[in-house]
Amino acid sequence: MGMAMENVKDILKTWLPIDGAWSWLPHASSVTTAAVDGPFYFLLWTCIGLFLLVIGPMVFFVIRYRRKSPSQKALSQMDHNQAMEVAWTVLPFIYLAILFYWGFVGFLHMYKAPSDAKQLRVIGQKWQWTVEYPEEGISVSGQGAVVVVPIGKPIQLKMSSQDVIHSFFIPNFRVKQDVLPGRYTSLWFEATEEGEFPIFCTEYCGDQHSNMMAILKVVSMEQFLDWVDKMKNADQGIALKDLGEKLYTKKGCNACHSVDGSPKLAPSFKGMYGKKEKLTDGRTVLVDDDYIKKSILDPAADVVMGYQPVMPTFQGQVSEREILALTEYIKSLK
Ligand code: CUA
């Protein structure tokens, strides 16, 4: 498991603690959270109140006025009370109308992103999130990817999936939206405080669903611009092997390939280079530069015996330099 995933797990530890004993939801950190939390707590506490109001007297009456001897008979029964009937019709109507209005206004607020929202693209794929910053020309991806956004700026995510249905969820922001292969969906948020917040996939999408996590890091606008600068220059001047090691988690290779020889969904990178591998169709290949490149771009072509052809293609998602970097990294894992 890569460093990035360890970071996510650290954040998870600080995520759940909730703001005090009366709070049921994780700490709220976006401008639209009140649209969820308000109706939720209103519903929760009024229901708890009504439950006690109905069940309490009922239990009391059952005990206090229970039948004490077999010959005991009820003296009179009440079969109609106009005032009560009007009350229990009108009061719930008012209650539900309040809830509906509150929920609907909140829904509209959360549904429609402000027109000045910054747009990011999100791609879901088994089993990682990729977030593209079209204006900046950068992207982050991989399990445990750190998605950096500025505070106080509306951010709209336009999302699609490369394979199955995923769902993008930031609990602290109360936003969750399915990410579909067939069409674009979107959500928006505006962070109200700096910090790191977990991003989950909340639609079961296969073996590694529970590891399909990332981190949303909210920083000041200045820090955001610094980060963009760094990202733009990050891969220049870095040794191929070191870049390969970064890409290993960034591109999500770590989901299926270990680097310590332990078996996962795919062959471990450790000691792979220079090995002869038997393929599912009976052929034998030498793991060299050509084989690695082919396996990145056309993974289904030469599948190693004993494994399923589950790897997605990285055609168009890795540069020539990145392929070289991954090759050098694999080569270094003796
Ligand atoms: Cu993607 Cu669950």
Side-chain angles (χ1 to χ4, degrees):
M1 185 160 297
M3 270 304 293
M5 282 305 287
E6 294 304 323
N7 292 344
V8 179
K9 299 211 160 144
D10 275 350
I11 291 172
L12 286 183
K13 277 181 220 146
T14 55
W15 165 64
L16 240 185
I18 307 226
D19 304 331
W22 298 102
S23 180
W24 287 56
L25 300 171
H27 183 65
S29 316
S30 175
V31 291
T32 60
T33 53
V36 173
D37 295 12
F40 173 77
Y41 285 122
F42 178 69
L43 190 63
L44 178 73
W45 291 112
T46 49
C47 283
I48 288 175
L50 285 170
F51 176 82
L52 295 176
L53 203 70
V54 172
I55 300 300
M58 200 172 87
V59 170
F60 173 76
F61 288 143
V62 161
I63 294 166
R64 175 74 177 76
Y65 299 108
R66 68 187 185 279
R67 200 180 192 198
K68 288 179 181 121
S69 72
S71 59
Q72 193 177 14
K73 286 210 171 94
L75 293 178
S76 73
Q77 295 280 4
M78 188 173 79
D79 58 16
H80 191 76
N81 184 313
Q82 182 102 16
M84 270 177 79
E85 283 177 24
V86 169
W88 75 45
T89 305
V90 171
L91 291 179
F93 175 79
I94 294 171
Y95 174 77
L96 291 174
I98 290 171
L99 254 185
F100 175 79
Y101 178 77
W102 200 354
F104 190 63
V105 168
F107 169 77
L108 291 180
H109 184 36
M110 295 181 74
Y111 186 74
K112 196 164 171 359
S115 52
D116 64 334
K118 178 179 185 58
Q119 295 207 350
L120 305 183
R121 293 271 178 187
V122 172
I123 302 158
Q125 86 184 76
K126 293 191 280 186
W127 289 276
Q128 56 167 316
W129 297 108
T130 299
V131 178
E132 299 273 353
Y133 296 68
E135 283 169 54
E136 289 78 11
I138 55 174
S139 73
V140 296
S141 62
Q143 293 184 352
V146 180
V147 181
V148 180
V149 296
I151 189 172
K153 171 89 187 153
I155 308 281
Q156 185 180 29
L157 305 181
K158 295 231 165 161
M159 311 189 287
S160 56
S161 168
Q162 194 161 303
D163 37 50
V164 299
I165 300 177
H166 304 276
S167 187
F168 193 93
F169 183 28
I170 316 174
N172 296 91
F173 291 11
R174 315 283 190 270
V175 287
K176 178 162 83 170
Q177 174 64 52
D178 277 7
V179 178
L180 310 168
R183 71 170 123 140
Y184 295 108
T185 53
S186 85
L187 61 78
W188 79 276
F189 57 80
E190 181 183 326
T192 53
E193 62 182 318
E194 297 183 14
E196 300 191 330
F197 308 97
I199 298 170
F200 293 104
C201 176
T202 52
E203 182 67 47
Y204 182 70
C205 55
D207 289 4
Q208 293 277 322
H209 157 73
S210 60
N211 281 330
M212 194 168 164
M213 295 191 275
I215 299 167
L216 189 88
K217 187 172 177 185
V218 179
V219 298
S220 70
M221 186 49 104
E222 248 174 39
Q223 287 169 309
F224 174 73
L225 295 174
D226 274 358
W227 175 79
V228 169
D229 258 7
K230 263 199 210 112
M231 285 294 288
K232 278 185 164 166
N233 302 317
D235 294 347
Q236 310 297 325
I238 170 173
L240 282 177
K241 177 183 149 291
D242 298 336
L243 176 59
E245 187 170 2
K246 270 173 57 186
L247 293 171
Y248 169 70
T249 38
K250 195 176 155 199
K251 295 290 178 185
C253 314
N254 58 342
C256 304
H257 297 277
S258 78
V259 288
D260 58 5
S262 61
K264 277 184 151 182
L265 287 180
S268 175
F269 282 169
K270 189 182 167 71
M272 173 195 270
Y273 195 88
K275 216 163 115 186
K276 288 225 160 77
E277 292 274 24
K278 203 156 193 268
L279 304 181
T280 43
D281 60 7
R283 285 177 298 135
T284 303
V285 293
L286 174 69
V287 179
D288 58 4
D289 294 8
D290 286 318
Y291 175 74
I292 291 172
K293 182 170 181 180
K294 191 173 182 196
S295 295
I296 293 170
L297 300 178
D298 186 11
D302 295 326
V303 178
V304 174
M305 182 80 92
Y307 294 98
Q308 297 295 316
V310 291
M311 178 167 161
T313 173
F314 284 80
Q315 186 90 49
Q317 296 178 49
V318 285
S319 67
E320 188 60 27
R321 183 159 192 266
E322 288 173 330
I323 293 173
L324 294 180
L326 282 165
T327 309
E328 290 301 327
Y329 177 54
I330 293 170
K331 217 188 240 180
S332 75
L333 299 165
K334 300 232 164 65

